[in-house]
Amino acid sequence: MRPRLRQLRHRLTALVPPFVLLSLGLYAVWPWLRLPGGAPPPRTLIVYGFSITGPAMNDGIFPAFQAHWLAQTGERVEFVGSFAGSGTITNQIIMGVPADLALLALELDAQRLVDAGILPGSTWRDLPHDGVLNRSPFVIAVRPGNPLGIGDFADLARPGVGVVHPDPLTSGAANWSILAEYGAAGRRQPAVPGAGRAQLAGIWGNVVAQAASARAARTQFDNGFGDALITYEQDLWADSHAGTWAGTIVYPPSTILSEHTLVVLDRNIVPDERDLVDAFVAFLWSDAAQRRFADYGFRSVDPALNADRFPPIADPFTVADLGGWSVAHPQIIEAIWKDQVLPELNR
């Protein structure tokens, strides 16, 4: 019997490695296996977005669409989301990440995708509202009770005020901020030559910290840097209403309304996923999704959804009032802020 036992043990031992490998393989593909009579495997959408959209998309929009799609088709959808500074995610898309959609902080980054050959043209303008999904005015965060009495962008240029600012090299918020700072002075003081430039120089002379994104700049401010932070209303509004942020929001009388652009990256979308992508895009402008965005502090493209949620802005303006990005970027951000203001500060 002993030789037979040894022979049987040898055969069982020889079978273990293939069995283990088979088990590991089944474990790896189990979520995608469709058993007879079982539910179909989930379909996947990859969505990139600028930093402050993360909570709204992950906790609001994605679950709402998952429920909507399941009710409509019986199919499950899973999302892969990535959120960082708008310039950062634009660079990642240019480098080849397989995103299906991207929500960018500004149309300027969408144009960069055109220039890089990722998009064939201004395809976002074929979407509702020319691709603008939601908006947010630029405001000033200050310490609880506003101890320095800040009420406008001009106050950020006063001596002794420390300003936290996102970095224009990576952050869409920083570009919006520069236009807000410049445009507010120029629009309120049209008869004063160089008013916008002077306000930019005064504010940037007080910048004590910069960060790669609006959310990172907010973290710096919350950690004690500076006296004031220029940022999206959304990044403060939601936390303020939830009681998780104790600072004060200052609404400048004149400020810019940022407009956030959705791009569909057709080159990354396989034919079998086209119906899902198109359905999700349509959902984003639906009343249900726009209400979700408003719940998270973004102003809807439907003004009726904003009336009872957000305070009015006395003198709002948009990038179109500054000539559009094709004018505002080269003439204000490049020619004035970068080529004039920064060199003066670095002397």
Side-chain angles (χ1 to χ4, degrees):
M1 291 294 293
R2 285 177 180 260
R4 288 188 177 184
L5 285 174
R6 284 197 297 269
Q7 186 179 25
L8 179 59
R9 182 181 297 174
H10 176 73
R11 289 179 178 178
L12 287 174
T13 302
L15 288 173
V16 168
F19 174 75
V20 171
L21 290 174
L22 179 61
S23 298
L24 291 173
L26 286 172
Y27 178 79
V29 302
W30 182 261
W32 289 271
L33 289 177
R34 184 175 181 180
L35 300 177
R43 300 171 71 181
T44 302
L45 282 176
I46 303 174
V47 181
Y48 275 54
F50 67 100
S51 61
I52 65 167
T53 60
M57 298 298 281
N58 285 324
D59 302 332
I61 299 300
F62 292 166
F65 181 75
Q66 285 169 328
H68 167 79
W69 188 252
L70 182 63
Q72 292 288 318
T73 68
E75 294 180 331
R76 292 175 294 135
V77 178
E78 57 184 24
F79 285 90
V80 176
S82 181
F83 302 91
S86 190
T88 299
I89 63 171
T90 302
N91 291 338
Q92 291 172 341
I93 292 168
I94 292 172
M95 291 172 65
V97 298
D100 300 312
L101 303 152
L103 179 53
L104 304 173
L106 62 168
E107 189 181 56
L108 189 65
D109 284 333
Q111 185 60 47
R112 286 181 57 209
L113 296 178
V114 176
D115 296 341
I118 306 300
L119 296 175
S122 304
T123 53
W124 60 90
R125 292 182 185 154
D126 295 330
L127 300 173
H129 297 272
D130 289 331
V132 174
L133 189 54
N134 49 44
R135 300 183 172 96
S136 186
F138 266 69
V139 299
I140 305 167
V142 297
R143 300 301 174 191
N146 194 7
L148 298 184
I150 292 168
D152 201 350
F153 289 120
D155 294 326
L156 301 182
R158 295 190 331 228
V161 177
V163 177
V164 179
H165 207 290
D167 184 352
L169 295 179
T170 55
S171 170
N175 287 268
W176 285 117
S177 296
I178 290 171
L179 297 188
E181 297 152 16
Y182 177 91
R187 288 171 59 83
R188 297 187 69 197
Q189 305 176 63
V192 180
R197 180 190 178 284
Q199 182 152 288
L200 270 181
I203 292 173
W204 278 85
N206 284 342
V207 170
V208 296
Q210 293 187 66
S213 69
R215 181 50 54 89
R218 161 77 183 280
T219 299
Q220 286 184 328
F221 181 73
D222 288 347
N223 285 337
F225 287 88
D227 305 298
L229 164 70
I230 303 172
T231 191
Y232 300 98
E233 172 195 48
Q234 186 278 335
D235 196 35
L236 306 171
W237 185 93
D239 290 344
S240 179
H241 281 70
T244 57
W245 185 69
T248 298
I249 304 175
V250 173
Y251 285 85
S254 181
T255 191
I256 200 165
L257 284 173
S258 64
E259 298 172 311
H260 315 134
T261 302
L262 184 79
V263 294
V264 181
L265 301 163
D266 291 309
R267 60 186 275 169
N268 294 337
I269 300 170
V270 298
D272 289 348
E273 298 300 329
R274 173 56 63 180
D275 64 326
L276 178 61
V277 172
D278 289 346
F280 181 61
V281 169
F283 176 78
L284 289 173
W285 276 278
S286 70
D287 186 74
Q290 288 293 310
R291 287 182 183 277
R292 290 274 180 157
F293 279 125
D295 288 341
Y296 283 84
F298 288 100
R299 298 200 182 205
S300 170
V301 292
D302 179 0
L305 298 181
N306 301 324
D308 297 329
R309 295 175 184 262
F310 305 104
I313 305 296
D315 178 30
F317 59 95
T318 68
V319 68
D321 295 313
L322 301 176
W325 282 109
S326 63
V327 173
H329 186 261
Q331 294 186 8
I332 299 174
I333 296 175
E334 292 287 330
I336 296 178
W337 174 77
K338 183 179 178 181
D339 294 342
Q340 297 179 33
V341 171
L342 287 189
E344 290 179 3
L345 297 176
N346 292 329
R347 286 177 183 171

